[in-house]
Amino acid sequence: MKVLSRLQNSVKVNGTSFIMLIDPDKKNNDNIEKLVEHANINDVDAIFIGGSLMMDSLYHERIARIKSISNIPLILFPGGINQINRHFDACLLYTSDAADDMQCVD
C-alpha cells in the first residue's frame, strides 16, 4: 500500500493517523533501534525522520539502519536537501510563509 493510501485508510478506520518523529542525529544514535522497535509494535502508521541540525558523517547510515529494521513507511521531514536519500518511502514538503500581508504574496 502506498504511503498516502495507508495514512488515508488509517484516518478512515481510526479517525486519525499515528505518526512518530525520529531525529536521527548522533545524540540519538544509541536509541534508534529501540525507537523503531516501539514503533513496529505499537501500530504506528508512519515514521517522520528529520531534524534541522543533523548531518554528521553517519546520517545516511542511520537512515539505512532505520529502514532495515522498520516495517513502517519512512517519511523524510527535511531540514535540508542534503538529507534526501533512497531509503525514504515519501517526503513531506511544506512551506512556511511569515509574511504579515498575504496580499503581497504571489
Side-chain angles (χ1 to χ4, degrees):
M1 181 180 293
K2 292 186 177 186
V3 177
L4 180 58
S5 299
R6 179 182 173 128
L7 295 175
Q8 288 172 328
N9 187 58
S10 178
V11 171
K12 183 178 179 180
V13 172
N14 303 313
T16 189
S17 286
F18 180 20
I19 300 174
M20 173 188 256
L21 172 63
I22 295 177
D23 182 349
D25 204 343
K26 62 184 174 186
K27 68 180 177 280
N28 292 323
N29 197 43
D30 296 334
N31 298 326
I32 286 176
E33 282 86 1
K34 186 186 296 185
L35 291 170
V36 175
E37 287 173 18
H38 284 297
N40 283 336
I41 63 173
N42 285 294
D43 297 324
V44 171
D45 295 305
I47 299 174
F48 280 173
I49 299 188
S52 58
L53 300 176
M54 67 181 145
M55 282 311 293
D56 63 8
S57 62
L58 299 176
Y59 167 78
H60 294 287
E61 255 181 56
R62 284 188 201 101
I63 302 306
R65 199 164 88 222
I66 292 168
K67 183 66 175 179
S68 72
I69 59 177
S70 174
N71 57 17
I72 300 165
L74 304 183
I75 302 173
L76 174 62
F77 187 70
I81 194 162
N82 53 348
Q83 296 171 358
I84 297 172
N85 71 48
R86 64 186 173 93
H87 299 292
F88 292 105
D89 299 299
C91 181
L92 177 65
L93 299 176
Y94 59 95
T95 62
S96 175
D97 194 332
D100 290 333
D101 185 359
M102 292 303 290
Q103 294 176 356
C104 296
V105 178
D106 288 330

